[in-house]
Each structure stands twice: as C-alpha cells, then as structure tokens.
Amino acid sequence: MKGEAVCVTGASGFIGSWLVQLLLDRGYTVHATVQDLNDEKETGHLKALEGADEGLKLFQMDLLDYDSIVAALKGTSGVFHLASPNVIGQVVDPEKELLEPAIKGTKNVITAAKELGLQRAVVTSSISSIVPSPNWPADVPKGEDCWTDEDYCRSQGLWYPLSKTWAEKAAWEVAKEKDMDIVVINPATVLGPILPPILNSSVAVVLALLKGSSETYENFYIGCVHVKDVANAHILLYENKSAKGRHLCTKDITHFGDFAAKVAELYPDYNVPRFPKDTQPGLLRTENAGKKLMELGLNFTPMEQIVKDTVESLKARGYLS
C-alpha cells in the first residue's frame, strides 16, 4: 500500500486516531480531516503519530460544506467516513446538532467520493443502527439484518441512534443512486487505549463503572470491541473488495451485566456495582456475532484484555489512581 492515499474523516476521534496510525503503519498516505486545524486538541496527537511526518496530511472539513469534503478527498483512492456528531449531555436541537450533519454529511461524502472517482467508501455506522430494537424476536440473535426501531427512538428522545440509523440508510440510498461502492461497519461499544486528549463516551462508561455508577445502558449495549480491532476491521473492509453489506463488529453478543461483572472481577478494589444477570431482557447472547469480519481474517481481542487495556490507559492518562 506504499504511497496509496486514502482519506479518514473524523480522524481526531477515538477510532479515527487508531485508524490513521494503522494506515500509516501499512504505508498509506492519509488525508485526515478535523473540524479545526487550529485546535491542538484535534491535531496534536495526530501529528505525534509514528509516520505522521511522512504520510499524514491534515484537512479542515465541515460535513455541511461540500467543497471542504471535495478538497479532503481529492487525490485519494478511498475514504473511511467516521465523522459524525455525538453530543455529550442534553440535546437541545436534535435536527441541527445531530440529524442534519450526520445524514447530509454522509450523503456529501459519498457523492464527493463518486464524483472524484474513488474506488471504495468504508462507512462507519454503529451498533446504534442495530439497537435499540425492542420488537426484534427474542429467540433470534441481533445482527446485520436487524435495524434500530426509529419510532421507539423518537418516542424516547434517543437522537444519537436515530442519527446513526438514518445516516447509514442514507449511505445505502446514495450509494445505490450514484453506483458507488460502499461497505459498512457497525462496531459495538469501542474500548481500549486512548490516543486523543479528550475522553470519548464509550471509554467513559468504564470509568463510570469503576467509580460506582449503576447506569445499565440497556438501550445500547450489545457487546464490546477493542479499538484496534475496529481500526483493523476498517482496513480489511477496504482492502477486501469481496466484502459487501453491513458488518457487526464485536465477537460476542453479551449483556451489560456480563461486562460489568468482568470489570468487577478484574478490578475488585474498585466499587463496581453488581447488576442482575439479564440486564437487557430480549437480548439473546451469542458467540461469533462478528463472523463476517472473522471470515475476512479479523481476530477479536477477548473481553478480559479489552477491559485491561482500557483501565490501564485510564490510569496512564490520570483518570484513575
């Protein structure tokens, strides 16, 4: 892959930073997009990545500014579209804060990719496009054929999963309309070593557990996955042209209570709450949920190692003593 250029939108984020690093390791030239080139919190850790001096080019991009997207994609052969808003705290204006940039931004990226003749777009969707899905049959594992219940999300004010669901559906619609080759990845709760200076929402779940939070995340949890596995999965989907459709990115489907119990087992000195065994009624536990990615050669990291890598990173960053 020496010299081939690809674009990573949302490169400063938790997954994006690791994806950029692994692409650089493989010899790619990376066009990495950020919201503000003058914000050291977005750019500093990217510039410090190994190989960045030779292979990294930073671009300021706005999901609603088509020209800025074209500028970032120009000269590349493929794009990894990770950029999507994720509001921390109360959502005041769902349309402006989440829905419009997620949906229109995805349409803009795929349209620009087709216009510029890119070979493939890997679209980062989410487990949030698969759950919550309360009406899914309780005896059937949730997987790539399951979609989040849009009416349920609207009634509960779950705007983030709604934004991810509509953005992914928009990606498929525009790709069909434009005849653009896309493939989608749907990661579960992404954990592991932190590269950005700002703590992301999924790793914050582990921190909250270790500090005694009893919130159960029953609407969203379906399993956890190592951030480096997610980054590697993106590359597998880009490089394997036979890969088609959606790809659930987690080895096993588990309950949030299973995960919390593992954290408590590994770190007994912390006040991790105990949860009932079945924290998510209707969610069927299953092994090898990510078999499509496993068949492409992805080896998922076990939950125990995922937890250890996350907690040790939190300690190293000063979030835990």
Side-chain angles (χ1 to χ4, degrees), residues 92-309:
V92 178
D93 186 341
E95 181 67 30
K96 183 178 180 180
E97 295 175 51
L98 286 172
L99 299 174
E100 184 183 10
I103 299 163
K104 188 174 180 181
T106 298
K107 291 180 176 180
N108 283 341
V109 168
I110 294 172
T111 300
K114 180 62 178 180
E115 177 185 315
L116 294 169
L118 273 63
Q119 297 172 11
R120 167 165 280 200
V122 179
V123 178
T124 311
S125 186
S126 170
I127 201 66
S128 294
S129 293
I130 294 176
V131 293
S133 39
N135 296 319
W136 186 256
D139 59 344
V140 179
K142 295 184 180 183
E144 287 91 357
D145 52 349
C146 180
W147 284 89
T148 285
D149 187 320
E150 298 170 22
D151 291 335
Y152 177 80
C153 287
R154 276 193 292 261
S155 69
Q156 300 296 313
L158 301 174
W159 302 115
Y160 178 73
L162 192 60
S163 75
K164 295 300 292 185
T165 302
W166 283 353
E168 186 188 337
K169 288 186 174 181
W172 289 116
E173 290 168 6
V174 175
K176 183 177 181 180
E177 175 190 331
K178 303 287 183 183
D179 191 27
M180 179 66 197
D181 179 22
I182 74 165
V183 63
V184 170
I185 181 170
N186 302 80
T189 302
V190 185
L191 303 171
I194 308 159
L195 290 179
I198 299 172
L199 192 65
N200 67 303
S201 57
S202 55
V203 174
V205 170
V206 182
L207 181 61
L209 268 178
L210 292 166
K211 292 188 173 182
S213 171
S214 58
E215 189 172 355
T216 62
Y217 300 91
E218 66 273 6
N219 281 320
F220 308 107
Y221 193 84
I222 198 171
C224 64
V225 60
H226 200 288
V227 65
K228 292 176 74 172
D229 294 346
V230 178
N232 275 314
H234 279 77
I235 298 172
L236 278 172
L237 292 177
Y238 178 71
E239 294 180 348
N240 286 270
K241 302 308 179 185
S242 62
K244 304 292 181 185
R246 310 173 90 197
H247 295 77
L248 177 58
C249 190
T250 184
K251 183 181 185 298
D252 304 323
I253 293 177
T254 60
H255 281 228
F256 184 74
D258 304 331
F259 172 72
K262 179 59 68 174
V263 176
E265 173 194 328
L266 294 172
Y267 295 92
D269 293 339
Y270 290 89
N271 185 31
V272 179
R274 298 297 191 268
F275 293 92
K277 179 177 173 59
D278 292 325
T279 45
Q280 294 141 279
L283 180 65
L284 186 65
R285 292 175 175 86
T286 184
E287 296 181 353
N288 302 326
K291 59 185 177 182
K292 286 181 72 175
L293 285 169
M294 294 165 72
E295 288 169 356
L296 290 174
L298 186 67
N299 295 311
F300 283 102
T301 304
M303 183 190 291
E304 180 171 328
Q305 192 60 51
I306 295 172
V307 172
K308 286 180 178 178
D309 286 354

Side-chain angles (χ1 to χ4, degrees), residues 44-55:
H45 63 288
L46 294 176
K47 293 176 182 177
L49 295 175
E50 186 176 350
D53 289 344
E54 300 81 22

Side-chain angles (χ1 to χ4, degrees), residues 56-79:
L56 180 67
K57 298 179 181 179
L58 294 175
F59 292 80
Q60 185 165 305
M61 191 192 82
D62 181 338
L63 286 169
L64 302 181
D65 180 354
Y66 187 75
D67 290 342
S68 74
I69 295 172
V70 170
L73 267 59
K74 191 171 291 184
T76 67
S77 58
V79 59

